[in-house]
Amino acid sequence: MGTDHTPKLVGTAWGLLVLNTLGSAGAKTVVPLPRSLIQMVTMGALAVAFTLALAVNLRLRVRPSAYLFLLTLLLVPSVISSADPESGFGALFRCARLALFVATLWLLSRWWDGGTTFVRHHIRMYFLVLGSVAAGLAISPGAALPDLYGGRLVGALWPLTPPQIGQYAAVIIGLTVLLLLGRRTDRRSAAVVVVPSLVLLALTHTRTATIGLFAGLALAIGSLVLTSAAARRFFTWTVLCAAVAAVVFGSALQAWFLRGQSQENFTSLTGRAKVWDALLAADRTTSEHLLGAGLGDKSFGGLPIDNSWLAVYHEQGMTGVVLVAAFVVVLGGVALLRPPSLSRACAIFLISYCAIASYTEAGLGDASPYLLHLAVAASLLAAPARAAPLPAPDVPRRRVPRWAQRSEVI
């Protein structure tokens, strides 16, 4: 468990980081929100998060973290490539945002102790975000399930896309299930989070989030099977229920998975493959190949890239790809080397989910929810802080004559 002495402002700062990564582009909301206003709110949230983190950590005490060190190194190719005048002012602005984002994580790393404190912060904040989605669905079902997105659930109060909602729902479902198996929460509290989140996930028809959820949970629970009877029971019942559902609801599940798409559209990953081929075929200078073209909006030719590795290659070059791969591999390696525990299982879930989602979603190279997921994983894998030694009891000192006193050289 996380330390009980974590200041409340730490949780507030974490919530503001989540708000910053919600983005400003998405579906049309019930009350039209200017994009400039949304950007002002999200960037203001990051500035306030940094201020709060600094206020509670004025002595700038941080925990050693290979993840944050490599993430800091990622700023180097980002700044160099974004400094090119052709990249525009927006690229430098995104670099400043990433730098402030990483600095805030460094300040909060003081409270990374291998416990579940930040897991709980993560679940609570994203549950609030999903609450706004559910409220939008109740207020205006037509706006929340628009034809423009094929009837998939979007944010009607805050502009959130189906993949975003699916990601948030999948992550908090997985973490809550693991907390339940580790007896860190009760069934009632878990049901309050898991049941509505599952409904919202189903309404988004997001395949990546669904696959990431079940694959991540399988790996995480598998790491607990040898040491937890609850994990063994849950794993067994889940396999049996999945087998029955596949037989009874096979056609319905297939229809949900295909989302009414043609075979050609499905095999091309909803058109993503065409963008990827064009990006890889584009001519690049040596500098662009090594350092990228500067931080942008994760698009190529006006179309979203929707692949973390190709987005990093396009914006931060091969240097960025190596650094991103390094911190993912380091986190995964540390998780595998740790003895079985709830913290290790939660970290494995988050790392595996991000690795799976990176194939069809961008975000590993810039301030995003994926970097926050991995930051939670890093906090779970951090070594517990050493307890401060108890002060020695006061013992009356014998007065020593001044001539007998000696000064010690330290």
Side-chain angles (χ1 to χ4, degrees):
M1 294 180 65
T3 176
D4 295 329
H5 303 290
T6 304
K8 292 183 178 179
L9 289 180
V10 171
T12 304
W14 192 264
L16 291 170
L17 286 179
V18 171
L19 177 59
N20 171 253
T21 58
L22 293 183
S24 58
K28 294 182 179 179
T29 54
V30 176
V31 178
L33 299 174
R35 187 172 182 181
S36 58
L37 175 62
I38 298 174
Q39 290 177 333
M40 187 182 303
V41 171
T42 55
M43 286 306 302
L46 177 59
V48 175
F50 175 78
T51 303
L52 292 178
L54 185 60
V56 296
N57 193 4
L58 287 175
R59 295 185 178 181
L60 304 182
R61 294 178 179 175
V62 299
R63 296 294 302 274
S65 172
Y67 168 68
L68 290 181
F69 174 71
L70 292 169
L71 196 55
T72 304
L73 288 182
L74 187 62
L75 286 169
V76 176
S78 303
V79 172
I80 294 176
S81 58
S82 299
D84 191 332
E86 295 183 0
S87 299
F89 176 76
L92 286 175
F93 180 80
R94 291 184 179 92
C95 281
R97 177 198 177 204
L98 178 59
L100 196 61
F101 182 86
V102 175
T104 306
L105 291 180
W106 271 115
L107 291 171
L108 296 178
S109 70
R110 174 183 175 182
W111 291 276
W112 292 4
D113 59 359
T116 57
T117 299
F118 285 88
V119 171
R120 297 181 186 278
H121 292 328
H122 217 53
I123 292 174
R124 289 166 186 162
M125 188 58 195
Y126 280 120
F127 188 66
L128 288 177
V129 175
L130 293 180
S132 72
V133 175
L137 177 62
I139 294 171
S140 179
L145 301 168
D147 294 333
L148 180 63
Y149 284 87
R152 301 170 65 192
L153 181 64
V154 300
L157 299 182
W158 184 276
L160 297 173
T161 61
Q164 284 180 283
I165 299 171
Q167 175 197 161
Y168 306 154
V171 166
I172 69 172
I173 289 170
L175 291 176
T176 304
V177 168
L178 292 173
L179 288 181
L180 179 62
L181 293 179
R183 298 181 180 180
R184 299 298 174 84
T185 188
D186 56 79
R187 295 181 181 180
R188 191 174 188 179
S189 300
V192 169
V193 174
V194 171
V195 174
S197 299
L198 275 174
V199 173
L200 296 181
L201 175 59
L203 290 176
T204 64
H205 287 260
T206 306
R207 295 177 293 227
T208 300
T210 305
I211 295 172
L213 169 62
F214 288 108
L217 271 180
L219 292 173
I221 296 175
S223 70
L224 293 172
V225 164
L226 296 179
T227 58
S228 171
R232 289 193 291 272
R233 288 194 298 269
F234 184 87
F235 188 82
T236 302
W237 280 108
T238 301
V239 171
L240 290 175
C241 292
V244 172
V247 174
V248 178
F249 304 105
S251 58
L253 291 174
Q254 183 179 8
W256 180 91
F257 196 79
L258 291 176
R259 297 196 312 232
Q261 294 177 340
S262 63
Q263 186 68 25
E264 180 182 358
N265 198 18
F266 178 73
T267 54
S268 65
L269 295 173
T270 322
R272 290 183 176 94
K274 297 178 181 179
V275 180
W276 299 347
D277 293 339
L279 186 150
L280 292 173
D283 293 331
R284 297 177 185 274
T285 63
T286 303
S287 176
E288 289 175 339
H289 176 71
L290 293 177
L291 301 173
L295 292 184
D297 58 359
K298 313 299 175 284
S299 66
F300 181 79
L303 297 173
I305 298 175
D306 286 340
N307 180 289
S308 285
W309 305 101
L310 292 179
V312 170
Y313 171 66
H314 176 61
E315 297 183 354
Q316 291 138 311
M318 284 304 300
T319 304
V321 172
V322 170
L323 290 173
V324 170
F327 65 64
V328 173
V329 170
V330 166
L331 285 173
V334 172
L336 292 176
L337 293 175
R338 290 293 167 84
S341 67
L342 174 62
S343 294
R344 177 187 184 236
C346 290
I348 289 175
F349 169 75
L350 291 169
I351 297 166
S352 57
Y353 181 89
C354 291
I356 293 170
S358 68
Y359 185 65
T360 57
E361 297 291 336
L364 287 182
D366 205 349
S368 70
Y370 292 106
L371 292 188
L372 285 181
H373 301 334
L374 293 178
V376 174
S379 76
L380 290 163
L381 298 173
R386 294 182 180 179
L390 295 175
D394 293 333
V395 178
R397 289 188 175 184
R398 187 181 62 178
R399 187 172 181 179
V400 180
R402 182 173 297 179
W403 60 269
Q405 295 178 3
R406 293 187 304 172
S407 58
E408 296 181 359
V409 179
I410 298 177

